[in-house]
Amino acid sequence: MNKNGLLIVISGPSGVGKGTVIKEVMKDPELNLSYSVSMTTREKREGEQEGVNYYYVSREQFEKTRDEGGLLEWTEFVGNYYGTPLSEIERLRSEGKNALLEIEVEGCRQVKEKVPDALTIFIVPPSLKELENRIRGRRTEAEEIVQQRLAKASKELEMTGQYRYVVCNDDIQLAADIIRVIIRHHMERDF
Ligand code: 5GP
């Protein structure tokens, strides 16, 4: 499946700044990246757009797509479903793009089973305290959800061993530069 381009998985706990780092990384046209838009049942956050951040669907729609084999991977995260539409990945790759998936650890495990040479990168925060500050700073979610996301973050940080690279987001530019170097290195390798 990996003939046309790389399949790149980027994970990291909620609030680590994955989105910001990924936006930076994607500014480099030479990396030929295309962002894989996931399907989710969670509510749209302010500023998010259908088809840009996610495809927002009902639980019934999600389950139907999943049961018909339409997802490369999927998970339930803090009460909502998230999944990568297979058609999305096939489309990107048929266009010769390097597909970039921003997904959590269980999804990464499933991707590795199907695409063993996927390039996997985990972004860590400088500390758990810093992560908590960032999640609270977002002020979009109820305390209960914040607590669930923090608990999930601690668990995810124990799973970094399944990733090929671990990058600390202490500084956005630096983290993005490191990830660009990793991707470029893999683009030049003959798989
Ligand atoms: P958020 O609700 O903050 O947008 O996302 C919550 C978590 O779900 C994040 O860790 C994000 O990386 C992950 N996620 C987003 N899309 C997918 C997906 O398609 N599959 C999986 N497994 N996780 C996803």
Side-chain angles (χ1 to χ4, degrees), residues 45-69:
R45 288 195 196 122
E46 214 181 302
E48 288 185 344
Q49 283 175 18
E50 165 74 22
V52 175
N53 304 91
Y54 285 105
Y55 298 110
Y56 301 90
V57 298
S58 66
R59 286 185 83 84
E60 292 70 29
Q61 280 173 293
F62 190 99
E63 285 167 358
K64 185 168 182 286
T65 307
R66 179 195 63 193
D67 296 346
E68 288 172 355

Side-chain angles (χ1 to χ4, degrees), residues 4-24:
N4 300 329
L6 301 172
L7 191 57
I8 303 162
V9 173
I10 298 191
S11 302
S14 285
V16 77
K18 287 183 299 267
T20 317
V21 173
I22 288 171
K23 255 194 213 132
E24 259 322 291

Side-chain angles (χ1 to χ4, degrees), residues 38 42 45 54 73 75 82-84 102-104 149:
S38 294
R42 90 146 157 71
R45 288 195 196 122
Y54 285 105
E73 60 73 39
T75 196
Y82 295 80
T84 304
E102 193 230 288
I103 62 175
E104 52 66 73
R149 282 184 180 264

Side-chain angles (χ1 to χ4, degrees), residues 22-119:
I22 288 171
K23 255 194 213 132
E24 259 322 291
V25 172
M26 295 202 58
K27 282 184 188 164
D28 185 343
E30 286 180 12
L31 297 182
N32 198 22
L33 292 170
S34 218
Y35 185 77
S36 156
V37 180
S38 294
M39 201 178 258
T40 186
T41 59
R42 90 146 157 71
E43 292 284 311
K44 201 189 281 177
R45 288 195 196 122
E46 214 181 302
E48 288 185 344
Q49 283 175 18
E50 165 74 22
V52 175
N53 304 91
Y54 285 105
Y55 298 110
Y56 301 90
V57 298
S58 66
R59 286 185 83 84
E60 292 70 29
Q61 280 173 293
F62 190 99
E63 285 167 358
K64 185 168 182 286
T65 307
R66 179 195 63 193
D67 296 346
E68 288 172 355
L71 299 178
L72 173 66
E73 60 73 39
W74 70 280
T75 196
E76 191 159 9
F77 182 97
V78 191
N80 283 300
Y81 287 139
Y82 295 80
T84 304
L86 202 49
S87 55
E88 180 86 7
I89 298 299
E90 282 168 353
R91 182 181 62 77
L92 296 180
R93 304 193 99 202
S94 71
E95 290 169 4
K97 297 271 172 62
N98 292 320
L100 194 156
L101 280 61
E102 193 230 288
I103 62 175
E104 52 66 73
V105 293
E106 167 54 22
C108 178
R109 194 190 58 72
Q110 295 171 36
V111 169
K112 277 173 61 184
E113 268 178 19
K114 293 182 182 163
V115 188
D117 56 3
L119 168 53

